Amino acid sequence: MSWVQSCLRRRRQKTSKSLEDLPVEILLNIFEIADSIPTLRSAAFVSRHLHDVANSLLYRHIELRHVHRAVFLLSTLVENPELGRYIKSFDCSALPSRCHFPDFVARSFDLRTSDLAVHALRKAVGLTSLVVSVNVVDLNPAGWVKLLEGPIELRKLVLCGRTLAYGENVDASKRKEWTQMIAHVLKAQPSITELQIEGVEPYDSLPRLDPTDLPNLRILAAPTVSALMLVLRGGHRPLRSLTLGDDVSMKEAQDIIFDLIPNGAAVEEFTWSGPTMIKRFSFPTQDWSDSLAFLSAVAVKFPNVRKVLLPMGKGVWKKEEDEGGEWLLQTVQETWVEEEVEEERGVFERDLNPLGVTHRCYP
């Protein structure tokens, strides 16, 4: 009888499988279906195998919105650079240029967010999407240039240049340093297909990209003429979508931007960035002759563009589908300001749930 029981026991041991016995691909599918940060956190502490699988999802897409969480997470990545291999997209654009953060020993740190991000991403060789704000006043361009000249191959890049205080003047040397850094980065990243740059202010001589730079660029968003000239001048970028900012007037677009895009037939979207909310327009109450004249020029330059959001509250216009169709006004913009709500520190302390020295906080 004992021999039979022994055989049955061995049979059960051979046929029974634990979660760790499953292939990595199946475990990834299970965790993705669960779609729960607490579940992934718990799985990371089960075993070394599940720890690696869970971390590949926990750190895949990082979007930092709160200062205290960001400092914990970036510190974790700095102390554990091997975690960077899991990162596919990284967004720290909502953080302030500097983080004033008191640690647990009552000391205070004044951290530059962009510098901390550079150190955190030094092993992120699989990074394909980067959204970051850089402080132009005390910019350290060498770190970003070195990072993006490495093995990283970006598909999407958003660079926002800003100052520490609203309205703070930036001298010409800092503007030039920031703009030259952008040019170096764009030259080092030919794989970029989607690009947005902000904070490029005019100065005497903009750097010029080579005609072979940015061969895969398809989507461009730039709020100023200087930013557009930096990217488009000197090459034939195969754009499909171009978004301008309100600082670019319709006259500037027609006089300058049109000439920078030789192949207008390839462009399918040409528009201005608009506000958050839009309301429907019922009765025309102003003269739209200047808008219609500009839209006629758009139809000639960009024959495949069917919808345009014009600047300065001049509405959203759509072109009729039939050949030689007219432009029709659909909506006008309504100003909408979204209030920023600052969370109390107590919320961070309850939600952080510190995970030890090497894993202080997951994204």
Side-chain angles (χ1 to χ4, degrees), residues 25-59:
E25 293 78 9
I26 295 179
L27 287 174
L28 287 173
N29 289 335
I30 292 173
F31 289 150
E32 285 178 346
I33 292 172
D35 192 23
S36 169
I37 295 296
T39 299
L40 293 174
R41 286 175 176 169
S42 300
F45 289 100
V46 172
S47 67
R48 184 179 297 274
H49 179 57
L50 293 184
H51 178 269
D52 291 339
V53 176
N55 276 348
S56 68
L57 296 178
L58 279 169
Y59 290 95

Side-chain angles (χ1 to χ4, degrees), residues 48-334:
R48 184 179 297 274
H49 179 57
L50 293 184
H51 178 269
D52 291 339
V53 176
N55 276 348
S56 68
L57 296 178
L58 279 169
Y59 290 95
R60 182 167 58 178
H61 303 295
I62 296 178
E63 186 175 0
L64 303 176
R65 287 287 178 261
H66 307 299
V67 173
H68 290 77
R69 287 191 187 188
V71 173
F72 273 112
L73 176 58
L74 293 176
S75 300
T76 295
L77 293 172
V78 170
E79 295 173 2
N80 302 269
E82 71 279 359
L83 294 173
R85 70 182 190 272
Y86 301 128
I87 302 175
K88 301 298 182 185
S89 65
F90 185 87
D91 183 348
C92 64
S93 59
L95 298 181
S97 298
R98 291 192 179 186
C99 297
H100 299 276
F101 183 74
D103 74 353
F104 298 111
V105 198
R107 292 178 299 176
S108 181
F109 294 95
D110 185 6
L111 303 174
R112 290 195 297 187
T113 309
S114 62
D115 289 351
L116 196 56
V118 168
H119 289 293
L121 295 173
R122 64 190 186 277
K123 295 294 184 180
V125 294
L127 186 68
T128 59
S129 175
L130 177 62
V131 182
V132 65
S133 289
V134 179
N135 174 26
V136 179
V137 175
D138 55 355
L139 176 66
N140 179 21
W144 284 105
V145 172
K146 183 178 179 181
L147 174 68
L148 296 175
E149 283 182 344
I152 293 175
E153 294 185 359
L154 293 176
R155 299 290 184 271
K156 176 181 178 180
L157 175 62
V158 179
L159 282 177
C160 302
R162 60 186 181 185
T163 57
L164 289 176
Y166 178 76
E168 183 176 0
N169 292 325
V170 182
D171 59 47
S173 63
K174 288 296 182 181
R175 294 201 304 267
K176 183 175 181 179
E177 192 177 38
W178 161 246
T179 309
Q180 287 179 338
M181 188 202 79
I182 294 177
H184 282 300
V185 169
L186 297 183
K187 288 175 177 289
Q189 291 293 323
S191 57
I192 291 176
T193 60
E194 183 176 352
L195 175 64
Q196 178 178 339
I197 53 176
E198 298 181 8
V200 178
E201 300 182 38
Y203 67 95
D204 293 339
S205 57
L206 282 170
R208 184 182 291 269
L209 299 181
D210 297 330
T212 55
D213 293 332
L214 297 175
N216 299 303
L217 185 62
R218 299 292 184 272
I219 301 173
L220 173 62
T224 63
V225 173
S226 296
L228 290 161
M229 292 183 66
L230 172 65
V231 177
L232 297 177
R233 190 179 56 174
H236 300 284
R237 323 289 178 217
L239 288 180
R240 292 181 182 172
S241 173
L242 178 60
T243 302
L244 312 178
D246 270 348
D247 289 339
V248 183
S249 67
M250 291 188 296
K251 186 178 187 306
E252 288 176 321
Q254 189 170 352
D255 294 345
I256 301 174
I257 309 304
F258 282 19
D259 293 336
L260 295 175
I261 305 175
N263 185 16
V267 178
E268 299 174 356
E269 181 180 356
F270 176 81
T271 189
W272 273 258
S273 57
T276 306
M277 290 188 65
I278 292 178
K279 66 178 182 180
R280 187 158 297 281
F281 180 81
S282 300
F283 302 101
T285 58
Q286 58 178 298
D287 183 15
W288 302 105
S289 57
D290 58 339
S291 300
L292 290 172
F294 174 75
L295 290 170
S296 298
V298 169
V300 175
K301 178 65 180 180
F302 308 114
N304 293 318
V305 171
R306 296 293 177 183
K307 189 175 182 180
V308 179
L309 167 62
L310 294 180
M312 307 301 294
K314 294 185 180 297
V316 178
W317 296 75
K318 187 175 181 181
K319 189 178 181 182
E320 293 181 326
E321 294 295 333
D322 57 315
E323 185 176 353
E326 296 181 352
W327 289 93
L328 301 178
L329 179 62
Q330 288 191 312
T331 55
V332 293
Q333 296 97 333
E334 179 180 282

